[in-house]
Amino acid sequence: QVQLAESGGELVQAGDSLRLSCATSGFTFNSYIMGWFRQAPGKEREFVAAVMAWGGGSTNYADSVKGRFTISRDDAKKTVSLQMNSLRPEDTAVYYCAAGRTWRATESMRPDDFEYWGQGTQVTVSS
């Protein structure tokens, strides 16, 4: 049974940092691209960051988070993390981790690129 479980979301102040984690099981983690998406109320789910399979040699970030967020993976522990610095109120959303097989090197990843999804963790940034 495939499971992805996000953790680490909370209420923080603008400018703070937060680290999200996603624990996984039930699939061959190291062969999957791992990503983070987010969805704010009334908005579509949007891409945040992704990391290549097999140790994560390449990463892909949404323009809105470049330079502030860092995605990383630990294939031994089957986890993926998202370090978020300099948080802004517009970063407020439910954050989802996802696993997929399609890599896009020069454009944003899409939800359809990912097969497995977690339930999400709420991040709220107050001004």
Side-chain angles (χ1 to χ4, degrees), residues 20-54:
L20 304 182
S21 294
C22 177
T24 74
S25 63
F27 62 100
T28 312
F29 179 84
N30 57 4
S31 70
Y32 276 76
I33 295 157
M34 297 302 297
W36 288 93
F37 285 74
R38 65 188 182 187
Q39 189 166 18
K43 295 188 176 181
E44 294 187 351
R45 190 167 297 191
E46 67 169 351
F47 170 67
V48 175
V51 60
M52 178 68 83
W54 304 108

Side-chain angles (χ1 to χ4, degrees), residues 1 10 14 31 37 53 58 64 67 70 74 77 84 86 93 98-99 108 114 123 125:
Q1 181 181 0
E10 62 180 87
S31 70
F37 285 74
S58 295
S64 60
T70 302
D74 186 329
K77 295 182 178 179
M84 305 186 294
S86 302
S108 292
F114 294 85
V123 173
V125 184

Side-chain angles (χ1 to χ4, degrees), residues 104-115:
R104 299 180 189 273
T106 59
E107 60 181 291
S108 292
M109 305 294 290
R110 304 170 188 175
D112 287 350
D113 295 331
F114 294 85
E115 302 170 38

Side-chain angles (χ1 to χ4, degrees), residues 33-106:
I33 295 157
M34 297 302 297
W36 288 93
F37 285 74
R38 65 188 182 187
Q39 189 166 18
K43 295 188 176 181
E44 294 187 351
R45 190 167 297 191
E46 67 169 351
F47 170 67
V48 175
V51 60
M52 178 68 83
W54 304 108
S58 295
T59 55
N60 185 340
Y61 293 95
D63 287 343
S64 60
V65 307
K66 278 181 184 176
R68 300 189 298 124
F69 291 11
T70 302
I71 188 171
S72 60
R73 64 186 296 154
D74 186 329
D75 284 359
K77 295 182 178 179
K78 299 183 180 181
T79 60
V80 60
S81 298
L82 185 68
Q83 177 66 41
M84 305 186 294
N85 298 331
S86 302
L87 282 161
R88 305 167 180 169
E90 54 264 39
D91 295 318
T92 295
V94 176
Y95 283 70
Y96 299 89
C97 72
R101 300 277 202 174
T102 300
W103 182 254
R104 299 180 189 273
T106 59

